[in-house]
Amino acid sequence: LSKLFRDFIVTARELGFSYIWIYSLCIIQDDPDNSVRESALMSSVYGCSSLNNAASGALDGSLGCFAER
């Protein structure tokens, strides 16, 4: 797993969460049909979540979510 994913897992554990859902591991990235089908379910995934993490400023997963700016 990338440093970013590992950081998210550690963060979730430290906050007392037992489960983590990582979009790019759960959705087939190179399959438009799968992406459309699964995207229709996102409100139920994110709508019932207790914590959402986003690494929207990351170029890739190698730096983690606690990289210096």
Side-chain angles (χ1 to χ4, degrees):
L1 290 174
S2 70
K3 179 160 178 25
L4 178 66
F5 294 163
R6 291 191 314 268
D7 283 353
F8 282 160
I9 292 168
V10 168
T11 300
R13 284 183 180 159
E14 290 291 321
L15 293 172
F17 292 95
S18 300
Y19 301 96
I20 184 170
W21 190 85
I22 299 175
Y23 177 89
S24 61
L25 295 179
C26 298
I27 305 297
I28 302 169
Q29 298 297 297
D30 297 329
D31 183 347
D33 293 333
N34 180 266
S35 201
V36 168
R37 184 174 51 255
E38 296 299 326
S39 293
L41 304 173
M42 290 301 104
S43 65
S44 65
V45 172
Y46 291 112
C48 296
S49 69
S50 298
L51 172 71
N52 292 314
N53 268 332
S56 53
L59 296 176
D60 60 36
S62 65
L63 296 177
C65 62
F66 302 115
E68 292 199 28
R69 296 177 183 241

